Amino acid sequence: MEVGLPTKSSSFLAGQDVLYGQFNDINFYVEDQDQESFYETTLKKLFPDIRIEKIFPLGSKDLVVNAAKLTTTDKKKVYIVDKDFDDILNTKEAIPNLFYLKQYSIENYLTEETAIQKLIIEEKPKLKAPDIAAAFSLTDFQKETRNLFSEIICSYLVIQKHCLGIPNVSYEPARFCNLNNPSSIKTANFNTYKESIEVKLKTKSKKLSVTTQIKQFKKYFSKKIKVLEALRHIPGKYILHFLKTRMRQLFSIPSFHNMSLESLSIRLADKCSFDSLVYLRTDIQAFIA
């Protein structure tokens, strides 16, 4: 129990498919309970001919991976996990029924231009798509996102690579960034954070420095590569927080101020085509065939 609300135990999460799996053609297993409704909306769009009444969150990536290892030949069980930094840190698992997203998280797939425009029009019905496009360029926003978050994400990669035990992606983006227009890094906050990383690195090896380690990861965010390739490594919740702030300011939408990220995600998912997730549908169809 937390704040008077019941929570689901790991044993319940692990066994819920026994209770509800009979109503699905395929059982889909994901990481977080917070993503359950979002995944349900998304997967029903990707698989309109498959009956999906219930998605099964297992509570963590490790639990999803371990469950997949136990049922590798079961064609009715499909396990989906976020990419996170697994490709960069070379920690991906090769399991037949385990499917990695190609972007950091499922939220990364929500920034479709048409979906964003539809959401704004819901809040501001008098606005038209051309008006929105004139005020907001998704391409420019994506470039700004890369520039704003790249070094911060590199510092997170350093922490995870060396197992430093310092909080990283769990932080809200506003901890180190001013998300207003123009956006900027909170230099003092970020420098203090890097100093804490430096201290921890020195306990691993006196030769390690945070500046050198961050530099090793900057190639993933270089302006020499395509913006969308760089954005694959930025947490989707960071991108959505930034987008929500920008939309609220550009179009004077006060409701965006208190809107939860979960609510924003569901509303955008309902409007997305998810063409960028066709690869996932193809891979899963090949497995269950």
Side-chain angles (χ1 to χ4, degrees), residues 37-141:
S37 297
F38 178 17
Y39 259 112
E40 184 175 324
T41 299
T42 305
L43 291 172
K44 283 182 177 179
K45 283 192 173 185
L46 286 177
F47 300 98
D49 298 326
I50 292 177
R51 184 178 56 164
I52 304 171
E53 298 296 335
K54 172 74 174 173
I55 304 295
F56 304 109
L58 297 184
S60 73
K61 175 180 282 187
D62 286 343
L63 290 173
V64 175
V65 172
N66 291 336
K69 288 177 179 178
L70 296 175
T71 58
T72 56
T73 60
D74 191 336
K75 299 288 187 177
K76 190 178 176 179
K77 295 186 176 184
V78 170
Y79 301 81
I80 302 173
V81 291
D82 293 340
K83 178 188 80 67
D84 297 327
F85 298 135
D86 292 9
D87 53 342
I88 296 177
L89 298 178
N90 196 30
T91 56
K92 290 179 69 173
E93 299 259 15
I95 305 171
N97 54 347
L98 179 68
F99 299 89
Y100 282 84
L101 299 176
K102 291 185 177 180
Q103 300 199 49
Y104 185 93
S105 65
I106 191 67
E107 290 88 353
N108 288 64
Y109 292 90
L110 290 173
T111 53
E112 293 184 14
E113 188 166 24
T114 300
I116 293 169
Q117 290 179 350
K118 288 180 178 178
L119 179 59
I120 294 169
I121 291 171
E122 273 187 359
E123 298 290 330
K124 293 276 187 173
K126 291 183 179 180
L127 285 177
K128 305 299 181 187
D131 302 324
I132 297 169
F136 173 75
S137 165
L138 181 58
T139 300
D140 289 346
F141 173 78

Side-chain angles (χ1 to χ4, degrees), residues 144-145 148 177-185 242 246:
E144 188 179 0
T145 300
L148 180 62
C177 299
N178 165 31
L179 303 180
N180 295 319
N181 193 8
S183 60
S184 62
I185 291 178
F242 191 22
R246 185 55 52 85

Side-chain angles (χ1 to χ4, degrees), residues 156 171-177 186 189-190 193:
Y156 294 168
Y171 281 138
E172 295 296 315
R175 185 181 186 94
F176 301 117
C177 299
K186 295 177 180 177
N189 290 9
F190 188 46
Y193 186 62

Side-chain angles (χ1 to χ4, degrees), residues 156-167:
Y156 294 168
L157 279 158
V158 173
I159 291 168
Q160 294 195 19
K161 174 186 176 183
H162 294 282
C163 303
L164 300 183
I166 299 172

